[in-house]
Amino acid sequence: ACLRILEAATALSCGHVFCEAHVTRRLQRTGVCPKCGVSAEMKDLDDAIRQKLARVVFQCINRDCTTRCSILDLRQHVAECPSGVVACPFEGCPATQLARKDLQAHLESCAYRSVECPRCDGKYTAGRISAHLAACASPKIGKPLS
């Protein structure tokens, strides 16, 4: 969802208000309002309208979040919201729909996280380290096998 609707708002000659970047592209392609389908042109919003829009309070767009804030704070909140959806950063991990608040616990137990072999210093995923250890015959000098 575009959160710039009221940060960089613009009005159309038909009266509908949109995010300037998105409606500009749409008007260049079609020449009509995305809401009502009437031929339309962009026009400036006056400062009084912009100030009123900035005071409107919005509900966070993330599921399970009850935070309400102004449009000016919404973008920052959504970027940091504990209920926001994030993906595991480890290559190959299929966990792509984690709540931000659950990410740390996932990272600590993810089978795709990188771990070092205590014998040879090789890097392996946590899910494959056991198989590697069973076959690893390269102990580091001065480091006991355990």
Side-chain angles (χ1 to χ4, degrees), residues 13 16 27 35 39-40 48 54 58 63 71 73 77-78 80 86-87 89 95 101 117 125 130 132 136 146:
S13 52
H16 291 113
L27 284 176
K35 180 93 172 164
S39 181
F58 291 85
R63 194 172 81 170
I71 190 66
D73 298 325
H77 169 76
V78 168
E80 299 171 353
V86 294
K101 64 186 172 203
C117 173
T125 63
S130 294
H132 167 74
C136 182
S146 44

Side-chain angles (χ1 to χ4, degrees), residues 84-140:
V85 176
V86 294
C88 176
F90 297 129
E91 186 176 333
C93 182
T96 59
Q97 298 288 309
L98 296 166
R100 187 174 282 109
K101 64 186 172 203
D102 299 330
L103 180 61
Q104 189 58 42
H106 171 80
L107 295 177
E108 293 169 6
S109 64
C110 181
Y112 292 86
R113 73 187 186 285
S114 181
V115 293
E116 185 178 293
C117 173
R119 297 179 184 163
C120 68
D121 286 334
K123 301 276 188 199
Y124 299 88
T125 63
R128 294 190 177 181
I129 191 69
S130 294
H132 167 74
L133 285 171
C136 182
S138 302
K140 291 193 289 188

Side-chain angles (χ1 to χ4, degrees), residues 6 49-58 69-72:
L6 300 179
I49 292 174
R50 287 185 194 279
Q51 289 173 2
K52 286 179 183 178
L53 291 175
R55 288 192 297 263
V56 176
V57 176
F58 291 85
C69 53
S70 76
I71 190 66
L72 301 175

